[in-house]
Amino acid sequence: MAPQHTPALPVLGSRKPSHRERVADALRAALIAGELLPGEVYSAPGLAARFGVSATPVREAMLDLAKEGLVDTVPNKGFRVTAVSDKQLDEYTHIRALIEIPTTAGLAATADPVALEELRPVAQEIVTSAAAGDLIAYVEADLRFHLGLLALAGNDHLVDVVRDLRRRSRLYGLTALAEQGRLEASAEEHLEILDALLARDEEAVRAVMTRHLGHIRGLWASAP
């Protein structure tokens, strides 16, 4: 079951996004984390009350998500969350592994150590969010961390592809992991990735990334 309480919208990144963008980012994270359930219809006023914002930016953000195929509009009712099949999750994860593992491993030889260290606060934010059971903040920080790493490879199109795949993924098992106290261990893998990159240990990076992405289908994407 979805948690009864959703935290207020978090601050995202170093730039100052618009209110609509902040709402859209939080809604995407709620979808990914399984806090908004597939097949359920949500009204803009209901979501606005849940997130502590006005209905207008929620309605605008949900229309953006509809264009991305993450929700469907239901006339006079609101928005229905699009279901994602096991086959689709497997395909998304397979493509992500093909892109993210070798690209991240390759950064061991090329990435600027200063740029890598700049991602450490984000990695720590993931750990802190996991400890607090704040799944929306966890998903948002996780997205920023991995896209930040991939951006260091200098291929903007690659980053866009992975961003889209991550938005379409679902991590329905996050709630159970958090309740069992197991989410922190997975969160700490982000620090492992950074440390391996700074040590210029490509094989270690590859091993941690393989383990990390394996969680998506092994543990996180179990159906609600």
Side-chain angles (χ1 to χ4, degrees), residues 1-223:
M1 292 181 62
Q4 296 300 310
H5 173 70
T6 299
L9 292 173
V11 176
L12 308 176
S14 56
R15 73 179 183 89
K16 196 170 183 178
S18 70
H19 197 47
R20 175 176 176 166
E21 289 174 321
R22 292 180 66 227
V23 172
D25 285 337
L27 289 172
R28 286 190 195 94
L31 284 168
I32 294 168
E35 300 222 9
L36 299 180
L37 299 176
E40 291 288 323
V41 176
Y42 296 92
S43 70
L47 288 172
R50 182 172 174 176
F51 283 93
V53 295
S54 64
T56 298
V58 171
R59 190 174 290 108
E60 292 172 343
M62 292 300 276
L63 289 172
D64 290 339
L65 268 56
K67 292 176 183 177
E68 297 171 15
L70 302 181
V71 299
D72 296 318
T73 57
V74 181
N76 303 317
K77 290 186 177 180
F79 302 87
R80 179 182 290 111
V81 176
T82 305
V84 182
S85 69
D86 286 348
K87 182 176 185 294
Q88 287 173 306
L89 286 169
D90 284 332
E91 290 173 349
Y92 298 159
T93 306
H94 183 213
I95 297 169
R96 284 180 52 188
L98 290 174
I99 296 173
E100 292 188 61
I101 293 174
T103 302
T104 305
L107 293 174
T110 62
D112 179 1
V114 174
L116 290 172
E117 281 293 353
E118 288 176 350
L119 287 169
R120 191 172 295 277
V122 184
Q124 190 57 56
E125 183 181 340
I126 299 171
V127 175
T128 302
S129 300
D134 188 340
L135 302 187
I136 292 180
Y138 179 97
V139 169
E140 289 177 330
D142 179 75
L143 179 67
R144 282 188 279 121
F145 177 83
H146 286 287
L147 295 185
L149 275 182
L150 294 174
L152 298 180
N155 187 328
D156 292 341
H157 185 64
L158 180 149
V159 175
D160 289 340
V161 169
V162 174
R163 179 186 290 109
D164 181 65
L165 289 169
R166 282 179 167 268
R167 286 176 174 175
R168 294 178 184 279
S169 297
R170 297 292 183 269
L171 305 177
Y172 297 132
L174 280 181
T175 299
L177 282 183
E179 291 174 348
Q180 296 163 9
R182 298 165 59 194
L183 189 56
E184 282 184 75
S186 178
E188 288 172 355
E189 289 175 344
H190 298 86
L191 295 169
E192 284 187 60
I193 293 168
L194 275 185
D195 290 340
L197 285 168
L198 288 164
R200 301 300 190 191
D201 190 337
E202 183 173 337
E203 288 308 309
V205 176
R206 189 180 300 276
V208 180
M209 279 295 298
T210 300
R211 174 174 17 114
H212 187 61
L213 288 180
H215 292 160
I216 295 169
R217 290 302 287 130
L219 291 173
W220 293 357
S222 55

